[in-house]
Amino acid sequence: MVHALSVTGLKKSFGGVPVLRDMSFDVAPGSVTVLAGENGAGKSTLFKIISGQLAPDDGTVEIEGSRLDSVNPHAARALGVGIVPQELAPYEDLSVAENLFVGHEPKRFGFVLKRREMVARARSMLEEFGVSIDPSRPMSSLSVAYTQIIEIVKATTSGARVLLLDEPTSSIPAAEVARLYAVIDRLRAQGVAMIYTTHRMAEIEAIADRVVVLRDGALVLDEEAGSVAPEQIVTAMIGRDLGQLFPQIEPPGETTAISVSGLRRREGVPTIDLEVRRGEILGIGGLVGAGRSATLAALFGARRAVEGTVAVGDRRLDRPRVRDSIAAGVAFVPEDRKAAGLILSRSVLDNLTLPYLQDHAVLGVLKQPSRRRTAKELGERVRLRSRSLGQLVETLSGGNQQKIVISRWLGRTPSVLLLDEPTRGVDVGARGEIYRIISDLAASGMAVILVSSDMPELIGMSHRVCVMRRGEITGELTREELDSPEAQNRIFHLASGEEAALTAAVPTIPSTKRATR
């Protein structure tokens, strides 16, 4: 049998750090292979190589027996590779039909657009997938789920025989998941091979014919979906039992560390009210676009709120500013550490001492021995792994970069720590170390507000979880409720606003899936 996709001996390193380690696997036509793995496991790098965006250091990619020889997305598309990224980028000002035919519009005399023909052909393409959308509608009017379906239709009707789907349900409500699954099943019946990334066990059970798990750039599991249990998949992803990944968190204190009242990050969005006690880890969950990161930034002052107050101990901040928040004892670890949390071209020493340079200066002149002593102590506190304090931060692993962003605030021991996606892009080993750091800081009395899209992380690291949707808090789960088997469904329900949780929205998969098992 000719495989739809064959990956053989793929290797890739960045800055001497292996990202893919001698990876080999095959994908059959008309099948769905779920590619699972924690953030930083190598999934994105693998997708970029298969789609012709990145060259491997070694190894080959073959599409239906034809080798992809050049680092060229056009060459990959010509061989039959299509990709629907997690961050969609449609031409929102154009119509659905124009998006479907962009770059190869039907024309008369080579320059006169055949608009009626384009709309008619677009309608036929959509009907083939059971999608009832007016092709003349602007893309900006569609939901995220429909936008993804349009991208899938565009890829497959352009000849894609291998389709890469990157977290397609990460930001869509449960009611629209079934529609996406129906399109995927039609593709399976047409013989299209799909590689589908997800962290959700319910999705794997619903649509996967096969499960491939990556950990630290290596393939650690490759099994038929029906022969592997969810617990085995999780263990393969993280390299240990899930219960061992998260440290024991001590009960919080009774004293309020931070109180947020009537905080409105911009006009037209709801206000936020919450309190966090000393030693408490408050998790904030929600779908992409719910306003979690923007709320954290407004609370710190990185984005100026239009109204509201933040009280830290006995200090009251009206519409907080960054300088005032730092002085009050609030520290902030942003979502994008490379763009907003680090100066990549500077040394470990410079980055570790960045927030409090005035503590190490006399008449504007930096005291190097003092800086180095403080930086060394901070690095040891989080078990930072670097060759020296002079090493450039851009050469460190994602986990060590994140340790710097967290530890540099600890010189003055803040009373409140704001963490936005603290383990995004961090390898499995460093994740456990970061969790230990967070739990130790909470045990010392620090209040922590943790925004996370990783459900096990959110549940495993929080004393309490607030869920956001459309800029407001829609519900709260106590530690006792988080320990319930229904916790994940409850969080998803609050985040999506749907009556049914994700598992209830999963349709029965037709016989085409069962026949491939």
Side-chain angles (χ1 to χ4, degrees):
M1 179 183 73
V2 176
H3 297 291
L5 170 69
S6 291
V7 171
T8 306
L10 279 191
K11 297 179 182 179
K12 185 65 181 179
S13 297
F14 294 104
V17 179
V19 178
L20 294 180
R21 308 168 187 261
D22 197 20
M23 186 172 300
S24 300
F25 66 94
D26 302 312
V27 179
S31 67
V32 176
T33 296
V34 165
L35 181 66
E38 293 289 85
N39 295 328
K43 304 188 298 296
S44 296
T45 300
L46 178 63
F47 268 22
K48 287 178 180 178
I49 291 174
I50 295 172
S51 60
Q53 302 175 56
L54 189 66
D57 296 335
D58 197 6
T60 61
V61 174
E62 292 186 355
I63 311 299
E64 295 185 334
S66 297
R67 181 167 171 170
L68 177 62
D69 287 322
S70 60
V71 186
N72 186 332
H74 295 289
R77 281 197 295 271
L79 287 178
V81 178
I83 184 168
V84 180
Q86 184 175 0
E87 301 296 332
L88 300 171
Y91 297 97
E92 294 193 344
D93 294 334
L94 300 183
S95 69
V96 170
E98 289 168 330
N99 270 266
L100 285 173
F101 284 96
V102 67
H104 55 97
E105 300 88 346
K107 295 178 180 179
R108 184 181 293 106
F109 309 121
F111 62 90
V112 179
L113 181 63
K114 298 180 180 179
R115 190 169 295 278
R116 288 185 179 178
E117 178 184 331
M118 183 172 67
V119 170
R121 288 171 58 185
R123 181 173 286 108
S124 177
M125 291 160 60
L126 294 170
E127 288 175 351
E128 185 179 347
F129 286 88
V131 179
S132 299
I133 300 176
D134 180 359
S136 299
R137 284 180 61 178
M139 284 295 295
S140 59
S141 68
L142 300 184
S143 67
V144 174
Y146 270 122
T147 300
Q148 286 176 324
I149 289 172
I150 297 302
E151 292 296 315
I152 291 171
V153 172
K154 180 167 65 176
T156 53
T157 55
S158 297
R161 304 301 298 163
V162 174
L163 186 61
L164 312 178
L165 298 165
D166 191 3
E167 296 277 359
T169 63
S170 62
S171 57
I172 65 176
E176 295 188 313
V177 170
R179 187 179 294 112
L180 177 64
Y181 285 177
V183 169
I184 288 172
D185 197 63
R186 284 174 182 260
L187 293 174
R188 181 192 279 112
Q190 294 171 10
V192 176
M194 286 159 280
I195 305 180
Y196 185 113
T197 68
T198 182
H199 291 96
R200 295 171 173 169
M201 293 300 112
E203 285 192 85
I204 295 175
E205 185 177 357
I207 67 169
D209 298 304
R210 186 157 156 234
V211 180
V212 169
V213 177
L214 309 186
R215 187 173 74 240
D216 295 338
L219 194 153
V220 294
L221 184 145
D222 184 356
E223 297 285 350
E224 295 294 319
S227 65
V228 60
E231 295 78 11
Q232 293 173 279
I233 297 172
V234 171
T235 299
M237 287 169 61
I238 66 177
R240 68 198 86 174
D241 291 337
L242 184 61
Q244 296 176 328
L245 180 63
F246 302 109
Q248 183 71 34
I249 53 177
E250 299 296 325
E254 298 297 327
T255 306
T256 298
I258 183 170
S259 177
V260 181
S261 179
L263 187 72
R264 193 188 306 275
R265 55 187 172 86
R266 60 179 173 84
E267 298 292 349
V269 301
T271 59
I272 296 291
D273 299 279
L274 56 85
E275 287 189 355
V276 188
R277 293 173 288 170
R278 285 177 54 82
E280 182 179 22
I281 302 174
L282 172 67
I284 299 183
L287 300 178
V288 173
R292 300 166 301 163
S293 296
T295 296
L296 220 60
L299 196 161
F300 183 65
R303 296 184 184 181
R304 193 80 192 279
V306 296
E307 62 178 286
T309 61
V310 175
V312 184
D314 58 359
R315 194 159 183 167
R316 175 189 170 101
L317 308 176
D318 293 313
R319 297 177 59 215
R321 296 178 184 270
V322 171
R323 183 187 299 273
D324 298 331
S325 295
I326 293 175
V330 181
F332 178 42
V333 175
E335 177 182 15
D336 189 342
R337 63 176 173 271
K338 292 185 177 180
L342 294 165
I343 304 176
L344 295 173
S345 60
R346 304 293 293 188
S347 67
V348 171
L349 173 64
D350 289 340
N351 277 272
L352 279 173
T353 56
L354 185 62
Y356 307 117
L357 284 176
Q358 68 272 22
D359 292 353
H360 307 285
V362 176
L363 299 176
V365 179
L366 289 175
K367 299 182 293 183
Q368 295 301 336
S370 172
R371 286 182 72 206
R372 295 184 66 85
R373 186 166 54 251
T374 296
K376 185 173 183 295
E377 291 171 356
L378 292 175
E380 289 174 348
R381 189 167 176 181
V382 297
R383 299 179 187 174
L384 178 67
R385 294 180 180 87
S386 65
R387 293 191 300 270
S388 69
L389 292 177
Q391 183 177 355
L392 296 183
V393 167
E394 64 187 356
T395 65
L396 297 177
S397 68
N400 282 302
Q401 288 179 352
Q402 191 72 329
K403 287 180 183 180
I404 288 176
V405 182
I406 294 173
S407 65
R408 71 179 180 202
W409 292 106
L410 306 183
R412 288 187 179 176
T413 313
S415 57
V416 179
L417 179 61
L418 311 179
L419 296 171
D420 193 358
E421 303 287 1
T423 61
R424 176 168 289 174
V426 170
D427 63 59
V428 176
R431 273 177 169 246
E433 294 182 352
I434 290 173
Y435 294 150
R436 178 193 59 78
I437 293 167
I438 295 170
S439 66
D440 286 350
L441 293 175
S444 72
M446 193 179 297
V448 178
I449 301 180
L450 167 69
V451 167
S452 179
S453 299
D454 186 296
M455 192 70 75
E457 176 175 289
L458 191 67
I459 292 173
M461 285 299 298
S462 302
H463 291 100
R464 181 167 52 103
V465 167
C466 289
V467 184
M468 291 186 66
R469 177 167 58 90
R470 296 179 180 175
E472 67 179 335
I473 295 174
T474 56
E476 178 181 308
L477 284 79
T478 64
R479 183 64 254 175
E480 183 178 0
E481 290 171 319
L482 292 172
D483 288 333
S484 164
E486 297 300 315
Q488 183 165 327
N489 280 351
R490 177 63 178 157
I491 291 171
F492 189 86
H493 166 76
L494 290 169
S496 65
E498 301 295 333
E499 291 301 320
L502 174 64
T503 50
V506 173
T508 301
I509 303 300
S511 59
T512 51
K513 174 176 185 286
R514 291 193 291 268
T516 63
R517 294 260 171 103

